Amino acid sequence: MKTDFFFQIDNRLHYGIGKSRELNTLMAAEGWKDIALLVDEGVAKHSAYYGEIKALIDGAANTVTEIQLRGSEEPSYDYLDDIAAQARALSNVDAVIAIGGGSALDIAKAVAGLITNPGPGISYRGFDQLTVPAVPSVCIPTTAGTGSEVTINAVFTDKSEMKKLGINGRYMNATYAVLDALWLESCPHAVAVSAGMDAMVHTLESFMTGNANPMTRAFNREAFVTLYKNLPALVNAPKDLDAKQAILMGAYLAAAGLFNSGSGISGALSYPLGVHYKVPHGIGGGIFIASVVEFNVAKGWFEYAELLDLIEPHTDWNAEQKSKRFAEVLRELSDTMGVPKTLCEWGVTKDNVEAVAELMVPLQGAFNQNPIEFSAETDALDMLRKHVA
């Protein structure tokens, strides 16, 4: 764990059930009168809460331009440019308010930056490529998982290369985040599970990475306990708003840790699988995370003991025993959440697994963040083979 590090959060958080009802007060305090409202089309069509909050925003503004976003797929740079063109065409934008899942929030943060920075979105891929501050933005998640509302990252697919390459760093933060579980009431179950597992993967990979530091570990510990205790409610008590509000906090903390320390194997494996095989990102990471823990434990990395102690203390066990048990705990959680054990339903089988493994070779840089050496050419193939039939 690093003791010489940099940590940042550039985001103001409004947290609580029903907190979105205070948006008009926030708008008045900031003096925002002309709003670009980006909303997931499914939320706009099916959430009664959206109608209430949209009326509130309308009443506090001079102009509100609603732009509905496709929620059925992860966004490409081409799609980002289409939305940015609509926002750039407005005569004035005081702020971007975004309501939707992680992809919608990614689009909104990038659009806020592209309003003030010219050219196509793909020209800003990488880190700190934006040169002019973005217009202010408010990100309101309707799923609890990605944590896009707190990160300085936005992920888009380059369709020409079939790769996910993000716009990251300076000016890619949301000015405000509003975490309000009332938005999660209209979230489909499968989406909620995928998002929740995404948050769990975020906090565990942030905990594992070689760039972890005391600050990220503090966020990781709180996120892990919060998510572990509350994620099963998505299956066992789907109307439990207090649990959903807690999951929103867990996702926020997990993402804050992740973008300050880096990710790892599970997240890296899931990106090509999402692009080429349409595996939901959170489910992809959730399929692999316990196997990654087992891989590290088998190679002698036993720091998971610290996390097990938070939920299931065993005072007479050594670190190795606790770490092995931790992998079992993750598998039990995945079973509870209904995470598939294989990739077969998305067309990844033993017959094409070697071709799929070739997609992982360019990801060695991401794999290098794991605390134990992991080869993109050999270990990735072995990992994939564990999850095909």
Side-chain angles (χ1 to χ4, degrees):
M1 183 169 64
K2 288 185 176 294
T3 56
D4 181 357
F5 63 91
F6 172 78
F7 185 94
Q8 72 175 106
I9 291 182
D10 190 3
N11 179 260
R12 291 170 242 177
L13 173 63
H14 289 236
Y15 178 85
I17 297 173
K19 205 69 174 175
S20 304
R21 294 178 173 130
E22 299 175 10
L23 273 172
N24 55 347
T25 303
L26 173 60
M27 290 169 61
E30 291 284 2
W32 297 338
K33 289 297 183 180
D34 298 295
I35 304 297
L37 177 59
L38 276 59
V39 58
D40 181 286
E41 62 182 1
V43 174
K45 292 174 182 176
H46 302 299
S47 171
Y49 195 39
Y50 176 66
E52 175 187 343
I53 301 304
K54 172 67 161 52
L56 183 151
I57 295 170
D58 287 341
N62 289 334
T63 63
V64 178
T65 302
E66 181 188 81
I67 302 174
Q68 293 193 13
L69 306 175
R70 294 197 304 262
S72 59
E73 60 185 58
E74 295 179 359
S76 67
Y77 279 101
D78 293 337
Y79 185 59
L80 169 62
D81 288 340
D82 288 343
I83 302 302
Q86 295 179 54
R88 284 167 167 166
L90 302 176
S91 58
N92 184 54
V93 177
D94 291 330
V96 173
I97 297 178
I99 302 172
S103 293
L105 304 189
D106 279 2
I107 291 170
K109 292 190 300 181
V111 165
L114 292 176
I115 289 173
T116 55
N117 291 268
I122 201 166
S123 65
Y124 298 100
R125 68 183 184 183
F127 284 84
D128 291 331
Q129 299 301 306
L130 295 171
T131 59
V132 179
V135 300
S137 59
V138 180
C139 282
I140 307 172
T142 58
T143 62
T146 71
S148 178
E149 66 276 4
V150 67
T151 71
I152 57 171
N153 316 103
V155 179
F156 304 98
T157 299
D158 177 356
K159 287 193 171 181
S160 65
E161 298 183 8
M162 290 302 289
K163 293 180 180 179
K164 289 187 179 181
L165 302 164
I167 303 175
N168 311 286
R170 184 175 53 177
Y171 309 139
M172 279 302 295
N173 59 287
T175 313
Y176 288 93
V178 178
L179 301 185
D180 176 358
L182 291 179
W183 293 107
L184 273 60
E185 289 191 302
S186 60
C187 182
H189 175 73
V191 174
V193 169
S194 180
M197 291 306 297
D198 194 22
M200 180 60 81
V201 170
H202 285 174
T203 202
L204 294 178
E205 295 210 318
S206 177
F207 183 87
M208 293 180 219
T209 179
N211 288 321
N213 61 63
M215 286 288 289
T216 60
R217 284 283 177 91
F219 277 69
N220 299 153
R221 288 190 293 269
E222 186 64 26
F224 171 69
V225 172
T226 300
L227 292 168
Y228 180 77
K229 290 181 177 179
N230 289 283
L231 281 176
L234 297 177
V235 176
N236 302 324
K239 296 186 182 299
D240 187 339
L241 277 180
D242 290 329
K244 290 179 178 180
Q245 188 68 34
I247 295 169
L248 281 167
M249 176 56 73
Y252 184 96
L253 294 171
L258 186 78
F259 84 82
N260 277 286
S261 64
S263 57
I265 297 170
S266 298
L269 290 171
S270 67
Y271 277 118
L273 290 169
V275 171
H276 293 274
Y277 292 90
K278 308 304 181 186
V279 179
H281 183 67
I283 295 298
I287 287 172
F288 293 112
I289 191 65
S291 295
V292 171
V293 170
E294 290 171 346
F295 175 88
N296 289 338
V297 172
K299 301 287 186 177
W301 201 78
F302 304 141
E303 295 186 35
Y304 303 112
E306 180 181 354
L307 295 179
L308 186 73
D309 284 340
L310 297 174
I311 59 167
E312 189 181 288
H314 295 276
T315 56
D316 57 337
W317 287 12
N318 62 31
E320 180 178 2
Q321 290 172 309
K322 292 178 181 179
S323 295
K324 288 180 176 179
R325 172 58 187 153
F326 186 72
E328 294 175 353
V329 163
L330 293 182
R331 292 202 182 280
E332 291 166 1
L333 176 64
S334 293
D335 288 345
T336 297
M337 302 300 292
V339 176
K341 292 181 171 60
T342 76
L343 296 160
C344 297
E345 66 181 89
W346 295 281
V348 182
T349 69
K350 62 182 179 181
D351 295 326
N352 63 357
V353 69
E354 292 185 3
V356 175
E358 291 179 5
L359 301 173
M360 310 301 168
V361 174
L363 302 176
Q364 188 62 60
F367 297 148
N368 287 344
Q369 296 184 89
N370 190 60
I372 298 296
E373 182 178 349
F374 186 92
S375 166
E377 295 185 349
T378 57
D379 294 321
L381 176 58
D382 291 341
M383 185 69 67
L384 286 165
R385 281 175 169 157
K386 292 181 178 180
H387 297 284
V388 298

